[in-house]
Amino acid sequence: MSIRLPLLALLVFSLAPIFASAATAADRFALVIGNAKYPDADAPLKEPINDARSVADELKRDGFTVEIGENLTGDGMRKAFERLYGHIKPGSVALIFFSGYGIQSNRQSFMIPVDAQIWTEADVRRDGFSLETALGEINNRGAGVKIALIDASRRNPYERRFRSFSAGLAPVIAPNGTLVMYSAALSSVMSDNGGDHSLFVQELLKEIRVPDLMAEETLNRTRVGVTRASRSEQVPWISSSLAEDFSFIPGARPTASLPQQPAAATPPPPPAPRVDLPAPPKAETPALPPPEKPAVASLPTNEPPPPPPQPALADDPTIKSLTAKLVENPDDAGSLYRRGQVYASKGAYDLAIKDFGDTIRLNPKDVEAYNNRCWVRAVTGELQPALRDCNEALRLRPNFVDALDSRGLVNLKSGLNKNAVADFDAALRINPRLTSSLYGRGLARQRSGAISDGEVDVNNAKAMDPNIVKEFASYGIR
């Protein structure tokens, strides 16, 4: 519901298919990337660099020729991928590991370089690196086994800049001979554990070090280990189309190469529980019911939230850059809109509203500016102006999912619960994984008296995004 985007953290792709017993060191190539220092984030990520180094060390012991890159820009990532592609020939093995931020866009998952300039969904496709594209290129070069291991479901610093996003990662459409693993369920996000390594990599390294395990079994055991260690709060997702046997360690290696390795592997544990995502709502007519009369008084839980503590906004490097552009050209609508997004993400709502208003003055048909101003006004409690903005956005772009989601928030805060349910229903028909609409519909249903249906929506939304309750609380809704 916020101006947000979803996250990518770790990415591992594996290699060209050959029989495990026939694979040699020359056949195995790995690209390992750890991106931690993103200028748009408040602080560097703690886990990706350590995770990348540990994974690279392990892969070297397993016979891979490894290239490791840290805090790569878009140009650096592009060159690194090209070098990997250049190594691959028919029958070789190629592995890619990426740890950093990632974003789901247009049903694909993108790895994000540290210098990405992301303000709209189109920027994700321009600056990000598609998982599907990378797997497809590896396959085109002749690799038979492709394995993608992705620990990428982090909240990212771009999510409040635009609304057209779904949290977490998308299912991948991969060529035959591919094994894909995400560290968390589809379209879900997890918080980092605050340690030196992610839980996913901790469990992955344990299982990779077990000799003679087929790759699918290695990843299944990793999934079970993560699920148990997190008490089912983090349940990895796996998809496989492997046609050949592949093992990271096709035979026992010297004990010295196995630090702290148990004497014998335990039998694989039973399958981990799954988090079921909600089914898409039934395709009902998109028409909204007649508007309800506004409640006489606002609900006590809908008081506007206090603004968060403000840093020196003028010192923010992004704001400084955009302001400098506006000094040169006050009618730069793009810079006004982007600065408004940054202000909104930092809780400077009055400044955001002004910039969105100036954007609309320069371009009266800027549907994104109307929608984002609607959302900011909804958060601050300016409900009637917010409703006008959302209605205009939907007039300009009918069935605009983000504006439906925003108007649902406006109606929810106004006590117009039937209208809120209708808006959230319409949004979910377009994007059944839009967590904010699912949670908002659950609250609206509960307030309308449909307690059990509302609880189902709320619980499903919380399973998809454990932070959704805190997010709505920041809007003044509990």
Side-chain angles (χ1 to χ4, degrees), residues 204-221:
L204 175 66
L205 292 177
K206 288 180 187 177
E207 303 305 333
I208 281 183
R209 291 166 180 163
V210 179
D212 294 321
L213 282 183
M214 292 299 99
E216 287 182 338
E217 185 177 3
T218 297
L219 300 193
N220 276 317
R221 289 164 62 110

Side-chain angles (χ1 to χ4, degrees), residues 72-392:
L72 295 185
T73 63
D75 186 58
M77 286 183 63
R78 186 171 297 104
K79 291 178 179 177
F81 277 111
E82 288 173 354
R83 286 192 293 271
L84 175 66
Y85 300 152
H87 287 304
I88 300 171
K89 53 187 180 293
S92 64
V93 176
L95 183 148
I96 304 167
F97 175 92
F98 173 86
S99 174
Y101 283 124
I103 297 171
Q104 176 186 158
S105 175
N106 197 27
R107 299 183 181 179
Q108 292 191 48
S109 296
F110 291 82
M111 300 167 278
I112 305 301
V114 296
D115 64 344
Q117 296 293 312
I118 294 175
W119 299 93
T120 67
E121 189 168 7
D123 295 338
V124 177
R125 297 187 290 273
R126 181 197 66 200
D127 288 354
F129 290 79
S130 164
L131 168 60
E132 290 187 4
T133 299
L135 289 173
E137 184 62 29
I138 291 171
N139 185 66
N140 291 339
R141 299 295 179 112
V145 175
K146 287 74 61 177
I147 302 178
L149 306 175
I150 306 171
D151 188 359
S153 301
R154 295 182 174 99
R155 286 205 175 278
N156 60 72
Y158 315 106
E159 65 180 29
R160 290 185 181 273
R161 293 185 175 177
F162 61 93
R163 307 283 314 277
S164 300
F165 89 104
S166 296
L169 302 178
V172 62
I173 301 175
N176 288 335
T178 302
L179 178 59
V180 178
M181 182 177 192
Y182 293 167
S183 65
L186 295 174
S187 297
S188 66
V189 293
M190 301 300 302
S191 299
D192 288 353
N193 60 24
D196 292 333
H197 292 85
S198 71
L199 175 59
F200 173 69
V201 168
Q202 290 176 28
E203 296 297 323
L204 175 66
L205 292 177
K206 288 180 187 177
E207 303 305 333
I208 281 183
R209 291 166 180 163
V210 179
D212 294 321
L213 282 183
M214 292 299 99
E216 287 182 338
E217 185 177 3
T218 297
L219 300 193
N220 276 317
R221 289 164 62 110
T222 300
R223 178 177 62 87
V224 172
V226 171
T227 303
R228 287 179 172 173
S230 68
R231 298 183 179 181
S232 297
E233 291 184 2
Q234 181 176 351
V235 182
W237 177 85
I238 299 175
S239 174
S240 177
S241 62
L242 286 184
E244 302 284 352
D245 289 339
F246 175 79
S247 175
F248 289 97
I249 307 176
R253 61 184 177 188
T255 306
S257 299
L258 291 169
Q260 300 180 352
Q261 177 63 35
T266 57
R274 296 176 58 188
V275 176
D276 294 324
L277 298 178
K282 294 180 180 179
E284 302 172 356
T285 58
L288 298 177
E292 301 175 80
K293 294 183 179 180
V296 176
S298 297
L299 295 174
T301 55
N302 288 343
E303 292 297 324
Q310 288 302 311
L313 291 173
D315 294 332
D316 181 278
T318 304
I319 292 176
K320 288 175 67 175
S321 173
L322 293 170
T323 300
K325 292 182 180 180
L326 289 165
V327 169
E328 294 180 3
N329 179 12
D331 292 338
D332 184 347
S335 293
L336 277 167
Y337 174 73
R338 292 176 179 180
R339 191 175 68 176
Q341 291 176 307
V342 180
Y343 281 144
S345 71
K346 295 181 177 297
Y349 299 127
D350 290 344
L351 294 173
I353 289 172
K354 183 179 185 306
D355 276 355
F356 291 141
D358 287 341
T359 304
I360 292 167
R361 173 178 56 79
L362 294 168
N363 180 9
K365 294 185 178 181
D366 193 324
V367 65
E368 297 285 355
Y370 276 113
N371 175 55
N372 285 337
R373 191 172 69 174
C374 169
W375 177 83
V376 174
R377 283 174 162 172
V379 171
T380 58
E382 300 177 38
L383 301 180
Q384 286 305 311
L387 184 61
R388 289 195 295 270
D389 281 342
C390 275
N391 286 340
E392 181 62 13

